[in-house]
Amino acid sequence: MLKVFVTHILPVFSIIGLGYVLMHRRFVENIFIASANRLVYYVAVPAMLFHEVARSSFSENFDGIAVVSMLAGLGVVTAIGFCLAHLTHRPASFKATFVHSTFHGNLGYMAYAIAFYALGEKSFAQTAILSSFLIVAQNLLAVCVFAYYKPKNPASFGHDRFDFLETLKRVATNPIIVSVTAGTVFSYLSLSLHPAISQSLKILSGMALPLALLLIGTSLSFHAFTKLLPAMSVIGLLKLFLFPLIAYGLMHWWHVPAAFHTPVLILTAAPPATVTYIMALELGGDTQLAAAATSLLTLVSGWTYALLLSFHG
């Protein structure tokens, strides 16, 4: 496990650490972070995903049962999160963020980086194709969670109910989903990219994951850890351990080809996404819990990923 951590995980987390240092040394400013995040999210990562998926074989990199295993695990973990939240006497804002954090993983930045640098390009194509289904499910579930708890302080985010159609539109136009879908069409139809276009996309893709990892580092926040540690521990158990364990168990039970096991484990074991903080801020959730859980579990995921890769890599 230590060898896997040093070889595959530590290099990834060293870039995250560099982002944290650069932010707190004020080497980078908030205006740069916002612009860089848009560049990564709307340009670099979609270019990388389209390029990798378009030039891969769809039939070799997609498995429907693997997708079902992920989504079933997602449903079970979310249901457990709801049950545990119901047992607490916390306000609705806390419960919404708690449940949301148990299932919404950082796929676009963290899982992709681990898959690309630890597994290589072939497994990355599988990870990218499978991730599109999980991204859609995560976003739709997030809408349902916040709608269920109906935050009672609309002044904090401007409205007291969701525009469900608008949310569906945002999910459908998610740049990661669009790029994977377009790449899948190319792959399924065996369309080839012109060498000049392929090389341009390869160059553009080169900045996607390093910059994404730097941005994760700039977002880390370690305030209010003591009082939130019990809740974060439960979130960590559900998100980093139970979710991938259920997905793996189902894949093993349903005899999913072994080649898909590790990509699915990487996707399901991703730490809570930074979007959990954004949604908590905009939709009346608990921003302290979202920021703390995202930061702590991002660091913990370095060891959980090393553990997963050691026993299944």
Side-chain angles (χ1 to χ4, degrees):
M1 175 179 169
L2 182 60
K3 182 180 179 180
V4 172
F5 180 82
V6 172
T7 304
H8 297 300
I9 307 301
L10 186 59
V12 171
F13 277 79
S14 68
I15 307 303
I16 294 175
L18 177 61
Y20 180 80
V21 171
L22 292 177
M23 177 64 179
H24 287 269
R25 292 285 183 178
R26 300 192 181 279
F27 191 86
V28 296
E29 303 292 340
N30 288 330
I31 188 170
F32 166 80
I33 294 171
S35 298
N37 190 67
R38 288 195 297 271
L39 178 63
V40 169
Y41 186 70
Y42 288 102
V43 180
V45 168
M48 177 188 67
L49 293 173
F50 173 76
H51 185 236
E52 294 295 336
V53 174
R55 62 198 186 101
S56 65
S57 170
F58 178 79
S59 60
E60 294 178 3
N61 293 298
F62 173 78
D63 187 281
I65 304 302
V67 172
V68 173
S69 300
M70 285 194 305
L71 299 185
L74 178 69
V76 172
V77 168
T78 304
I80 295 174
F82 266 115
C83 292
L84 293 176
H86 183 71
L87 296 176
T88 70
H89 299 289
R90 299 274 195 163
S93 59
F94 182 95
K95 293 180 180 181
T97 298
F98 174 85
V99 177
H100 187 202
S101 299
T102 63
F103 68 79
H104 203 149
N106 191 344
L107 307 185
Y109 291 0
M110 180 60 76
Y112 289 161
I114 296 295
F116 189 86
Y117 293 123
L119 303 182
E121 292 191 15
K122 177 172 175 56
S123 291
F124 181 78
Q126 296 172 335
T127 305
I129 291 174
L130 295 175
S131 70
S132 61
F133 298 90
L134 190 54
I135 289 171
V136 172
Q138 285 182 163
N139 281 277
L140 292 179
L141 260 182
V143 172
C144 295
V145 166
F146 279 96
Y148 176 81
Y149 285 108
K150 296 179 181 177
K152 299 299 190 295
N153 185 21
S156 65
F157 55 95
H159 52 80
D160 60 355
R161 63 187 181 88
F162 287 98
D163 186 337
F164 192 75
L165 291 179
E166 180 62 26
T167 301
L168 289 178
K169 180 181 177 181
R170 288 200 303 270
V171 171
T173 57
N174 181 299
I176 292 176
I177 294 174
V178 171
S179 61
V180 172
T181 301
T184 300
V185 171
F186 268 70
S187 175
Y188 184 77
L189 298 177
S190 299
L191 302 176
S192 59
L193 296 171
H194 189 278
I197 295 177
S198 180
Q199 185 64 17
S200 297
L201 290 172
K202 184 176 181 179
I203 294 172
L204 185 59
S205 302
M207 70 175 177
L209 296 178
L211 191 52
L213 293 172
L214 281 173
L215 290 171
I216 292 175
T218 64
S219 69
L220 296 180
S221 174
F222 300 101
H223 300 296
F225 262 37
T226 303
K227 67 177 182 179
L228 295 174
L229 190 57
M232 291 189 295
S233 299
V234 176
I235 292 171
L237 287 172
L238 293 176
K239 184 68 197 72
L240 303 183
F241 290 98
L242 187 60
F243 191 180
L245 183 62
I246 293 173
Y248 177 75
L250 290 174
M251 287 191 297
H252 185 74
W253 187 26
W254 288 327
H255 305 291
V256 172
F260 291 93
H261 291 184
T262 303
V264 167
L265 287 173
I266 288 176
L267 289 170
T268 54
T274 52
V275 74
T276 58
Y277 174 83
I278 296 171
M279 294 190 73
L281 184 65
E282 294 184 351
L283 304 175
D286 190 310
T287 55
Q288 276 195 337
L289 176 61
T294 299
S295 299
L296 176 63
L297 297 180
T298 294
L299 299 181
V300 173
S301 70
W303 292 104
T304 55
Y305 271 134
L307 183 64
L308 290 175
L309 293 175
S310 296
F311 286 97
H312 204 272

